[in-house]
mmCIF file of all heavy atoms in Angstrom:
data_model
loop_
_atom_site.group_PDB
_atom_site.id
_atom_site.type_symbol
_atom_site.label_atom_id
_atom_site.label_comp_id
_atom_site.label_asym_id
_atom_site.label_seq_id
_atom_site.Cartn_x
_atom_site.Cartn_y
_atom_site.Cartn_z
ATOM 1 N N GLY A 569 3.162 -4.217 -4.022
ATOM 2 C CA GLY A 569 2.925 -5.557 -4.525
ATOM 3 C C GLY A 569 3.436 -5.775 -5.939
ATOM 4 O O GLY A 569 3.691 -4.821 -6.682
ATOM 5 N N ILE A 570 3.583 -7.050 -6.296
ATOM 6 C CA ILE A 570 3.948 -7.412 -7.669
ATOM 7 C C ILE A 570 2.790 -7.084 -8.603
ATOM 8 O O ILE A 570 2.968 -6.650 -9.731
ATOM 9 C CB ILE A 570 4.308 -8.909 -7.749
ATOM 10 C CG1 ILE A 570 5.548 -9.190 -6.901
ATOM 11 C CG2 ILE A 570 4.555 -9.334 -9.202
ATOM 12 C CD1 ILE A 570 5.927 -10.655 -6.835
ATOM 13 N N THR A 571 1.576 -7.319 -8.120
ATOM 14 C CA THR A 571 0.365 -6.924 -8.846
ATOM 15 C C THR A 571 -0.569 -6.262 -7.853
ATOM 16 O O THR A 571 -0.377 -6.370 -6.642
ATOM 17 C CB THR A 571 -0.304 -8.138 -9.521
ATOM 18 O OG1 THR A 571 -1.431 -7.685 -10.298
ATOM 19 C CG2 THR A 571 -0.802 -9.144 -8.485
ATOM 20 N N GLY A 572 -1.587 -5.562 -8.361
ATOM 21 C CA GLY A 572 -2.479 -4.848 -7.455
ATOM 22 C C GLY A 572 -3.839 -4.597 -8.069
ATOM 23 O O GLY A 572 -4.079 -4.903 -9.245
ATOM 24 N N TRP A 573 -4.721 -4.035 -7.257
ATOM 25 C CA TRP A 573 -6.093 -3.767 -7.697
ATOM 26 C C TRP A 573 -6.114 -2.763 -8.853
ATOM 27 O O TRP A 573 -6.887 -2.911 -9.800
ATOM 28 C CB TRP A 573 -6.907 -3.233 -6.527
ATOM 29 C CG TRP A 573 -8.346 -2.948 -6.840
ATOM 30 C CD1 TRP A 573 -8.980 -1.745 -6.805
ATOM 31 C CD2 TRP A 573 -9.346 -3.896 -7.253
ATOM 32 N NE1 TRP A 573 -10.296 -1.878 -7.156
ATOM 33 C CE2 TRP A 573 -10.554 -3.194 -7.438
ATOM 34 C CE3 TRP A 573 -9.335 -5.276 -7.481
ATOM 35 C CZ2 TRP A 573 -11.731 -3.804 -7.835
ATOM 36 C CZ3 TRP A 573 -10.521 -5.900 -7.875
ATOM 37 C CH2 TRP A 573 -11.696 -5.164 -8.061
ATOM 38 N N ALA A 574 -5.267 -1.754 -8.797
ATOM 39 C CA ALA A 574 -5.225 -0.766 -9.885
ATOM 40 C C ALA A 574 -4.804 -1.427 -11.194
ATOM 41 O O ALA A 574 -5.348 -1.123 -12.260
ATOM 42 C CB ALA A 574 -4.256 0.366 -9.526
ATOM 43 N N GLN A 575 -3.849 -2.357 -11.113
ATOM 44 C CA GLN A 575 -3.324 -2.989 -12.326
ATOM 45 C C GLN A 575 -4.355 -3.884 -13.008
ATOM 46 O O GLN A 575 -4.366 -4.005 -14.228
ATOM 47 C CB GLN A 575 -2.066 -3.813 -11.991
ATOM 48 C CG GLN A 575 -0.815 -2.979 -11.816
ATOM 49 C CD GLN A 575 -0.920 -2.000 -10.658
ATOM 50 O OE1 GLN A 575 -1.329 -2.369 -9.564
ATOM 51 N NE2 GLN A 575 -0.542 -0.753 -10.900
ATOM 52 N N VAL A 576 -5.218 -4.541 -12.235
ATOM 53 C CA VAL A 576 -6.205 -5.443 -12.843
ATOM 54 C C VAL A 576 -7.508 -4.724 -13.181
ATOM 55 O O VAL A 576 -8.443 -5.333 -13.698
ATOM 56 C CB VAL A 576 -6.499 -6.665 -11.938
ATOM 57 C CG1 VAL A 576 -5.240 -7.461 -11.697
ATOM 58 C CG2 VAL A 576 -7.145 -6.240 -10.627
ATOM 59 N N THR A 577 -7.574 -3.428 -12.892
ATOM 60 C CA THR A 577 -8.772 -2.657 -13.234
ATOM 61 C C THR A 577 -8.456 -1.547 -14.235
ATOM 62 O O THR A 577 -9.112 -0.514 -14.263
ATOM 63 C CB THR A 577 -9.425 -2.049 -11.977
ATOM 64 O OG1 THR A 577 -8.443 -1.306 -11.236
ATOM 65 C CG2 THR A 577 -10.020 -3.132 -11.090
ATOM 66 N N GLY A 578 -7.415 -1.788 -15.057
ATOM 67 C CA GLY A 578 -7.160 -0.892 -16.176
ATOM 68 C C GLY A 578 -6.107 0.172 -15.974
ATOM 69 O O GLY A 578 -5.942 1.056 -16.815
ATOM 70 N N TYR A 579 -5.355 0.128 -14.857
ATOM 71 C CA TYR A 579 -4.366 1.173 -14.600
ATOM 72 C C TYR A 579 -2.954 0.613 -14.539
ATOM 73 O O TYR A 579 -2.174 0.953 -13.672
ATOM 74 C CB TYR A 579 -4.702 1.918 -13.298
ATOM 75 C CG TYR A 579 -5.819 2.903 -13.476
ATOM 76 C CD1 TYR A 579 -7.145 2.492 -13.426
ATOM 77 C CD2 TYR A 579 -5.557 4.248 -13.727
ATOM 78 C CE1 TYR A 579 -8.186 3.383 -13.607
ATOM 79 C CE2 TYR A 579 -6.587 5.152 -13.902
ATOM 80 C CZ TYR A 579 -7.898 4.719 -13.845
ATOM 81 O OH TYR A 579 -8.926 5.604 -14.027
ATOM 82 N N ARG A 580 -2.646 -0.266 -15.485
ATOM 83 C CA ARG A 580 -1.278 -0.782 -15.587
ATOM 84 C C ARG A 580 -0.531 -0.004 -16.665
ATOM 85 O O ARG A 580 -1.126 0.469 -17.615
ATOM 86 C CB ARG A 580 -1.284 -2.269 -15.942
ATOM 87 C CG ARG A 580 0.114 -2.897 -15.861
ATOM 88 C CD ARG A 580 0.103 -4.356 -16.259
ATOM 89 N NE ARG A 580 1.395 -4.975 -16.019
ATOM 90 C CZ ARG A 580 2.427 -4.908 -16.833
ATOM 91 N NH1 ARG A 580 2.305 -4.246 -17.973
ATOM 92 N NH2 ARG A 580 3.569 -5.504 -16.537
ATOM 93 N N GLY A 581 0.772 0.124 -16.490
ATOM 94 C CA GLY A 581 1.581 0.749 -17.525
ATOM 95 C C GLY A 581 1.805 2.232 -17.315
ATOM 96 O O GLY A 581 1.710 2.756 -16.203
ATOM 97 N N GLU A 582 2.056 2.929 -18.398
ATOM 98 C CA GLU A 582 2.416 4.347 -18.357
ATOM 99 C C GLU A 582 1.254 5.200 -17.864
ATOM 100 O O GLU A 582 0.092 4.969 -18.197
ATOM 101 C CB GLU A 582 2.833 4.801 -19.763
ATOM 102 C CG GLU A 582 3.254 6.260 -19.831
ATOM 103 C CD GLU A 582 3.439 6.725 -21.259
ATOM 104 O OE1 GLU A 582 3.064 5.985 -22.193
ATOM 105 O OE2 GLU A 582 3.959 7.854 -21.438
ATOM 106 N N THR A 583 1.565 6.208 -17.044
ATOM 107 C CA THR A 583 0.580 7.203 -16.617
ATOM 108 C C THR A 583 0.913 8.520 -17.305
ATOM 109 O O THR A 583 1.806 9.247 -16.874
ATOM 110 C CB THR A 583 0.604 7.377 -15.082
ATOM 111 O OG1 THR A 583 1.953 7.542 -14.654
ATOM 112 C CG2 THR A 583 0.023 6.157 -14.394
ATOM 113 N N LYS A 584 0.186 8.799 -18.380
ATOM 114 C CA LYS A 584 0.496 9.972 -19.200
ATOM 115 C C LYS A 584 -0.004 11.263 -18.571
ATOM 116 O O LYS A 584 0.559 12.335 -18.801
ATOM 117 C CB LYS A 584 -0.131 9.807 -20.585
ATOM 118 C CG LYS A 584 0.396 8.620 -21.375
ATOM 119 C CD LYS A 584 -0.298 8.519 -22.716
ATOM 120 C CE LYS A 584 0.195 7.331 -23.514
ATOM 121 N NZ LYS A 584 -0.506 7.182 -24.809
ATOM 122 N N THR A 585 -1.084 11.192 -17.797
ATOM 123 C CA THR A 585 -1.696 12.403 -17.244
ATOM 124 C C THR A 585 -1.838 12.290 -15.735
ATOM 125 O O THR A 585 -1.773 11.199 -15.155
ATOM 126 C CB THR A 585 -3.086 12.642 -17.854
ATOM 127 O OG1 THR A 585 -3.960 11.567 -17.451
ATOM 128 C CG2 THR A 585 -3.016 12.679 -19.374
ATOM 129 N N LEU A 586 -2.065 13.437 -15.097
ATOM 130 C CA LEU A 586 -2.284 13.464 -13.652
ATOM 131 C C LEU A 586 -3.561 12.702 -13.297
ATOM 132 O O LEU A 586 -3.626 12.029 -12.260
ATOM 133 C CB LEU A 586 -2.380 14.914 -13.168
ATOM 134 C CG LEU A 586 -2.563 15.118 -11.663
ATOM 135 C CD1 LEU A 586 -1.377 14.574 -10.893
ATOM 136 C CD2 LEU A 586 -2.786 16.597 -11.348
ATOM 137 N N GLU A 587 -4.569 12.786 -14.166
ATOM 138 C CA GLU A 587 -5.842 12.096 -13.911
ATOM 139 C C GLU A 587 -5.641 10.584 -13.861
ATOM 140 O O GLU A 587 -6.274 9.891 -13.055
ATOM 141 C CB GLU A 587 -6.866 12.446 -14.996
ATOM 142 C CG GLU A 587 -7.427 13.860 -14.927
ATOM 143 C CD GLU A 587 -6.432 14.916 -15.385
ATOM 144 O OE1 GLU A 587 -5.454 14.548 -16.106
ATOM 145 O OE2 GLU A 587 -6.603 16.095 -15.028
ATOM 146 N N GLN A 588 -4.762 10.061 -14.713
ATOM 147 C CA GLN A 588 -4.492 8.624 -14.698
ATOM 148 C C GLN A 588 -3.839 8.204 -13.391
ATOM 149 O O GLN A 588 -4.177 7.166 -12.823
ATOM 150 C CB GLN A 588 -3.599 8.245 -15.881
ATOM 151 C CG GLN A 588 -4.322 8.251 -17.223
ATOM 152 C CD GLN A 588 -3.374 7.933 -18.371
ATOM 153 O OE1 GLN A 588 -2.270 8.463 -18.449
ATOM 154 N NE2 GLN A 588 -3.808 7.070 -19.270
ATOM 155 N N MET A 589 -2.904 8.998 -12.897
ATOM 156 C CA MET A 589 -2.273 8.673 -11.620
ATOM 157 C C MET A 589 -3.266 8.806 -10.473
ATOM 158 O O MET A 589 -3.253 8.004 -9.529
ATOM 159 C CB MET A 589 -1.060 9.576 -11.386
ATOM 160 C CG MET A 589 -0.297 9.251 -10.096
ATOM 161 S SD MET A 589 0.310 7.549 -10.031
ATOM 162 C CE MET A 589 1.789 7.681 -11.029
ATOM 163 N N GLU A 590 -4.150 9.792 -10.535
ATOM 164 C CA GLU A 590 -5.180 9.926 -9.503
ATOM 165 C C GLU A 590 -6.091 8.705 -9.494
ATOM 166 O O GLU A 590 -6.508 8.240 -8.422
ATOM 167 C CB GLU A 590 -5.993 11.201 -9.743
ATOM 168 C CG GLU A 590 -5.240 12.475 -9.392
ATOM 169 C CD GLU A 590 -6.024 13.729 -9.739
ATOM 170 O OE1 GLU A 590 -6.925 13.648 -10.620
ATOM 171 O OE2 GLU A 590 -5.744 14.788 -9.148
ATOM 172 N N GLY A 591 -6.425 8.193 -10.693
ATOM 173 C CA GLY A 591 -7.241 6.988 -10.778
ATOM 174 C C GLY A 591 -6.541 5.791 -10.170
ATOM 175 O O GLY A 591 -7.159 4.978 -9.472
ATOM 176 N N ARG A 592 -5.240 5.680 -10.408
ATOM 177 C CA ARG A 592 -4.465 4.578 -9.830
ATOM 178 C C ARG A 592 -4.419 4.696 -8.307
ATOM 179 O O ARG A 592 -4.620 3.705 -7.590
ATOM 180 C CB ARG A 592 -3.052 4.592 -10.401
ATOM 181 C CG ARG A 592 -2.154 3.518 -9.832
ATOM 182 C CD ARG A 592 -0.748 3.582 -10.425
ATOM 183 N NE ARG A 592 -0.725 3.098 -11.790
ATOM 184 C CZ ARG A 592 0.390 2.954 -12.508
ATOM 185 N NH1 ARG A 592 1.558 3.280 -11.962
ATOM 186 N NH2 ARG A 592 0.345 2.504 -13.739
ATOM 187 N N VAL A 593 -4.164 5.902 -7.817
ATOM 188 C CA VAL A 593 -4.094 6.120 -6.365
ATOM 189 C C VAL A 593 -5.440 5.827 -5.712
ATOM 190 O O VAL A 593 -5.498 5.214 -4.636
ATOM 191 C CB VAL A 593 -3.644 7.574 -6.060
ATOM 192 C CG1 VAL A 593 -3.797 7.888 -4.576
ATOM 193 C CG2 VAL A 593 -2.206 7.780 -6.513
ATOM 194 N N LYS A 594 -6.521 6.248 -6.355
ATOM 195 C CA LYS A 594 -7.858 5.994 -5.817
ATOM 196 C C LYS A 594 -8.098 4.501 -5.636
ATOM 197 O O LYS A 594 -8.640 4.068 -4.614
ATOM 198 C CB LYS A 594 -8.908 6.591 -6.758
ATOM 199 C CG LYS A 594 -10.339 6.426 -6.283
ATOM 200 C CD LYS A 594 -11.308 7.071 -7.258
ATOM 201 C CE LYS A 594 -12.753 6.892 -6.792
ATOM 202 N NZ LYS A 594 -13.709 7.511 -7.755
ATOM 203 N N ARG A 595 -7.671 3.694 -6.609
ATOM 204 C CA ARG A 595 -7.851 2.246 -6.509
ATOM 205 C C ARG A 595 -6.915 1.627 -5.478
ATOM 206 O O ARG A 595 -7.265 0.666 -4.805
ATOM 207 C CB ARG A 595 -7.658 1.615 -7.889
ATOM 208 C CG ARG A 595 -8.895 1.795 -8.759
ATOM 209 C CD ARG A 595 -8.583 1.697 -10.244
ATOM 210 N NE ARG A 595 -9.801 1.819 -11.038
ATOM 211 C CZ ARG A 595 -10.410 2.964 -11.292
ATOM 212 N NH1 ARG A 595 -9.903 4.087 -10.817
ATOM 213 N NH2 ARG A 595 -11.522 3.003 -12.003
ATOM 214 N N ASP A 596 -5.718 2.181 -5.347
ATOM 215 C CA ASP A 596 -4.793 1.694 -4.319
ATOM 216 C C ASP A 596 -5.350 1.937 -2.920
ATOM 217 O O ASP A 596 -5.261 1.076 -2.043
ATOM 218 C CB ASP A 596 -3.427 2.379 -4.470
ATOM 219 C CG ASP A 596 -2.657 1.901 -5.690
ATOM 220 O OD1 ASP A 596 -2.952 0.794 -6.181
ATOM 221 O OD2 ASP A 596 -1.768 2.639 -6.155
ATOM 222 N N VAL A 597 -5.921 3.123 -2.710
ATOM 223 C CA VAL A 597 -6.503 3.445 -1.409
ATOM 224 C C VAL A 597 -7.719 2.559 -1.139
ATOM 225 O O VAL A 597 -7.929 2.079 -0.010
ATOM 226 C CB VAL A 597 -6.883 4.945 -1.334
ATOM 227 C CG1 VAL A 597 -7.652 5.243 -0.056
ATOM 228 C CG2 VAL A 597 -5.634 5.814 -1.433
ATOM 229 N N TRP A 598 -8.522 2.320 -2.188
ATOM 230 C CA TRP A 598 -9.687 1.419 -2.030
ATOM 231 C C TRP A 598 -9.220 0.035 -1.598
ATOM 232 O O TRP A 598 -9.838 -0.598 -0.730
ATOM 233 C CB TRP A 598 -10.447 1.323 -3.349
ATOM 234 C CG TRP A 598 -11.688 0.484 -3.252
ATOM 235 C CD1 TRP A 598 -12.954 0.913 -2.966
ATOM 236 C CD2 TRP A 598 -11.788 -0.940 -3.420
ATOM 237 N NE1 TRP A 598 -13.825 -0.156 -2.945
ATOM 238 C CE2 TRP A 598 -13.135 -1.297 -3.215
ATOM 239 C CE3 TRP A 598 -10.865 -1.941 -3.714
ATOM 240 C CZ2 TRP A 598 -13.574 -2.622 -3.295
ATOM 241 C CZ3 TRP A 598 -11.300 -3.261 -3.792
ATOM 242 C CH2 TRP A 598 -12.641 -3.589 -3.588
ATOM 243 N N TYR A 599 -8.119 -0.443 -2.187
ATOM 244 C CA TYR A 599 -7.591 -1.763 -1.822
ATOM 245 C C TYR A 599 -7.194 -1.791 -0.347
ATOM 246 O O TYR A 599 -7.501 -2.747 0.373
ATOM 247 C CB TYR A 599 -6.379 -2.091 -2.708
ATOM 248 C CG TYR A 599 -5.610 -3.302 -2.256
ATOM 249 C CD1 TYR A 599 -6.050 -4.585 -2.563
ATOM 250 C CD2 TYR A 599 -4.441 -3.173 -1.501
ATOM 251 C CE1 TYR A 599 -5.347 -5.708 -2.137
ATOM 252 C CE2 TYR A 599 -3.736 -4.284 -1.067
ATOM 253 C CZ TYR A 599 -4.204 -5.553 -1.392
ATOM 254 O OH TYR A 599 -3.523 -6.660 -0.956
#
Side-chain angles (χ1 to χ4, degrees):
I570 296 176
T571 184
W573 181 243
Q575 282 62 48
V576 300
T577 53
Y579 282 83
R580 188 182 187 277
E582 181 189 10
T583 48
K584 298 179 181 178
T585 65
L586 182 62
E587 288 74 20
Q588 286 177 315
M589 183 58 81
E590 286 176 337
R592 178 181 286 185
V593 170
K594 182 179 179 181
R595 282 157 178 78
D596 288 338
V597 173
W598 183 92
Y599 170 80

